[in-house]
Amino acid sequence: MTGSELMTAVAEDDLVRVRALLRPGVDLNPDRGTTPLYEAAVHGNGDMIRLLLEYGADPDLPSHGPDEGLPLCAAACWDHDEAVLALLDGGANPDAAEDGWTALLWAAGLGHLATADVLLDGGANPDAGCPHTPLTAAARFGAYGIVWSLLEHGADPAKPDDGGLTALEIARELSEADLEALLTSRIDANVEAKESAESADQEGRVIVVSRSHAADGTELVEVEADGTRLAIQRGHAAVATILEDALGIRTPVAELMARAVPYRDRDEGGETWWAAVHSVQNRHDEETFGAAVELCASSDPVTRDFGVDVLSQFGFTADDRPYLERTLPVLQGLAEREQDPRVVESVLGALGQQGDPRALPEVLAIIGRPGREHSVRDAIALSAVLTPGHAEGLTCLIGLSRHPSAEIRDYATHGLAALGDGFDGDAVLEALHDRVSDPDLSTTAEAAAALAARHDRRAIDAIHRVLCETDQDDPDDEYIRELALEAATLLNLDLPDLTH
């Protein structure tokens, strides 16, 4: 075997060939050129990495080729989270650095959320790195999800980078920047730096701007020109909000709302909007409660919407809802008079969040509004306030469990499953049985688990179907498989017979 044979097999991700070429004593840690482990890290092949480590590859040996270095940093740069996990499992130092750049700093600076989470869970120091800290790098990229994760893992929100700037200062400045123009100017700077005899002629230049959503839901902006492609997330406003909270800075409610409004429909799940909402909700004081109530009385529907979302869980703790008696009348009044469709949906959600049966008439009234399309909020809110013996409410929830939308059926079935004693048991059982053959596996699993909890063996075929038609290694199937396995346990079923 030659080193080139092995490197070719690694580069081609040919695990079978590499296994055949490896033998005890083979040198996987050459003192020049690209190392096999680095090549595998660039390709993101976790299985290849584990095999090479098994045969003695050094996880912390820098590769010697041009612009190469630590395998862990390479995997982090390419957002290969499985490769990062394999290297950490193999003993790689999560804080190893090259010129101050740790793998976590690379992940944070490039907006690689999954990789950053693996590194943090693997023991990476959330504050290590220079000339940036992971937090200042993530703030500069606008990587809201990474900033959140860093704070959760103990990052110091006040620690500045080597230039003296804190993450909050960076986020505030960039939240008002034209990101497309910023990226284009960076490309221009790169071009100017490379110019020599070939002068950069901008005539006929093509600039391509693309927008999508990053893993954390904020908008990802990419600009390509002159053969260079740069990216940045539009998460700076959300980053500023959570950093202010982490630093104990009390930003005025009106300022938080104004910061969030431009992102109301730009983020995938309203991440910037909800960062501001949660910041206000967490204050738990009379002044803020009064301000939220005033927002709900505004003539502007967007302002009312923000106020309703704040009141939806204002002052909530695990054991207490101290503002319930004053919040509920405000929401009930809005439910009667609100005409803006978007605010109506927020009111419905907020009424459900209160979990108070006194809201049941308003919830049913909103659900039954002429011309209104049903949504998952109907099932969530209704099941949260439904009381035993309320035939109209139960009939409505059962009707939602038969809705053409699989998502609505799923949530309604989950709501039926959660109903306790005092409801029409036969009606609930038959409604659940109707869903065990649902085309949507999640709905089927909810129904099966609920029937099994009621010792109804009509769940057996549904349990079998869920376990046979899902993949135990697929994270997307994890929840519904857990439901099916729980149901099988409740009915004392033999699992091997169910999965074959």
Side-chain angles (χ1 to χ4, degrees):
M1 178 194 74
T2 65
S4 60
E5 285 181 288
L6 178 63
M7 287 299 298
T8 298
V10 172
E12 293 176 351
D13 287 329
D14 191 341
L15 193 65
V16 174
R17 178 63 177 155
V18 170
R19 183 174 282 110
L21 291 171
L22 288 175
R23 59 183 62 89
V26 66
D27 183 13
L28 294 176
N29 303 302
D31 56 8
R32 61 182 179 179
T34 301
T35 66
L37 191 62
Y38 183 89
E39 186 73 19
V42 169
H43 282 257
N45 192 325
D47 290 335
M48 185 75 74
I49 288 170
R50 294 180 193 278
L51 178 62
L52 293 172
L53 290 169
E54 179 185 343
Y55 275 83
D58 182 349
D60 291 325
L61 176 69
S63 190
H64 313 292
D67 299 320
E68 295 178 351
L70 292 166
L72 190 65
C73 288
C77 284
W78 289 96
D79 199 19
H80 294 321
D81 55 306
E82 288 297 327
V84 168
L85 181 60
L87 287 163
L88 292 175
D89 288 345
N93 177 4
D95 294 323
E98 302 164 324
D99 298 325
W101 282 81
T102 65
L104 179 59
L105 184 52
W106 280 113
L110 294 170
H112 297 333
L113 177 58
T115 294
D117 281 342
V118 170
L119 287 163
L120 287 165
D121 290 342
N125 183 342
D127 289 323
C130 68
H132 315 286
T133 71
L135 202 55
T136 60
R140 184 167 277 106
F141 194 84
Y144 168 63
I146 296 179
V147 170
W148 182 277
S149 190
L150 286 165
L151 292 172
E152 287 286 297
H153 284 84
D156 180 0
K159 183 177 181 180
D161 62 17
D162 286 5
L165 291 175
T166 66
L168 178 57
E169 290 170 330
I170 293 166
R172 282 176 171 172
E173 178 181 357
L174 290 175
S175 65
E176 299 179 359
D178 181 337
L179 298 185
E180 289 84 350
L182 176 65
L183 292 181
T184 302
S185 69
R186 289 178 182 174
I187 291 175
D188 290 342
N190 288 340
V191 170
E192 290 173 6
K194 294 176 182 177
E195 284 178 4
S196 55
E198 297 181 14
S199 178
D201 182 3
Q202 303 299 323
E203 291 186 15
R205 180 191 199 198
V206 177
I207 299 176
V208 178
V209 179
S210 60
R211 299 177 182 86
S212 57
H213 286 108
D216 62 17
T218 59
E219 187 176 59
L220 179 66
V221 180
E222 296 176 279
V223 174
E224 185 172 8
D226 301 312
T228 300
R229 188 179 186 89
L230 297 178
I232 196 168
Q233 286 178 223
R234 209 183 294 273
H236 302 96
V239 168
T241 298
I242 61 172
L243 284 171
E244 287 165 350
D245 286 346
L247 290 163
I249 298 172
R250 189 181 173 92
T251 306
V253 173
E255 183 179 334
L256 284 171
M257 185 183 73
R259 180 189 293 168
V261 166
Y263 300 88
R264 191 181 184 211
D265 297 313
R266 172 166 263 162
D267 296 338
E268 188 172 32
E271 282 74 16
T272 308
W273 176 273
W274 286 107
V277 166
H278 294 322
S279 177
V280 180
Q281 285 178 337
N282 291 334
R283 294 187 179 178
H284 298 200
D285 62 78
E286 290 290 336
E287 179 186 352
T288 307
F289 177 75
V293 172
E294 288 183 13
L295 294 177
C296 293
S298 170
S299 60
D300 173 44
V302 176
T303 301
R304 293 198 302 277
D305 198 27
F306 189 83
V308 169
D309 283 342
V310 168
L311 287 183
S312 67
Q313 295 189 54
F314 188 83
F316 277 25
T317 66
D319 304 312
D320 193 20
R321 300 181 182 186
Y323 292 88
L324 172 63
E325 294 303 322
R326 286 181 286 170
T327 296
L328 191 58
V330 174
L331 296 175
Q332 288 173 314
L334 279 169
E336 293 177 2
R337 65 179 182 271
E338 184 60 56
Q339 296 302 313
D340 183 88
R342 188 156 185 171
V343 182
V344 169
E345 296 305 305
S346 295
V347 171
L348 177 61
L351 288 169
Q353 290 286 349
Q354 306 311 301
D356 193 302
R358 290 174 292 179
L360 180 55
E362 287 77 23
V363 168
L364 286 171
I366 291 177
I367 291 175
R369 280 196 179 192
R372 177 183 170 276
E373 292 186 6
H374 290 302
S375 72
V376 296
R377 281 185 173 175
D378 297 12
I380 295 170
L382 181 54
S383 60
V385 300
L386 189 57
T387 55
H390 200 288
E392 179 189 355
L394 180 58
T395 299
C396 182
L397 187 58
I398 290 173
L400 291 170
S401 74
R402 298 166 180 162
H403 194 273
S405 165
E407 191 176 20
I408 293 176
R409 292 198 309 275
D410 184 22
Y411 276 91
T413 303
H414 178 79
L416 287 170
L419 296 179
D421 297 335
F423 291 89
D424 184 342
D426 291 339
V428 172
L429 279 174
E430 290 311 308
L432 292 169
H433 182 248
D434 285 346
R435 301 273 59 82
V436 294
S437 57
D438 197 281
D440 176 60
L441 280 178
S442 182
T443 303
T444 297
E446 293 282 3
L451 286 173
R454 292 162 172 79
H455 310 292
D456 191 321
R457 298 185 70 81
R458 289 180 294 178
I460 294 176
D461 287 345
I463 297 169
H464 180 273
R465 177 180 161 224
V466 170
L467 294 178
C468 287
E469 295 183 18
T470 55
D471 183 351
Q472 64 180 352
D473 296 322
D474 187 343
D476 292 337
D477 290 341
E478 183 177 358
Y479 172 69
I480 60 177
R481 286 184 64 85
E482 285 179 357
L483 285 176
L485 291 170
E486 178 185 345
T489 301
L490 289 170
L491 294 177
N492 297 315
L493 302 178
D494 187 346
L495 291 178
D497 288 344
L498 286 171
T499 54
H500 292 89

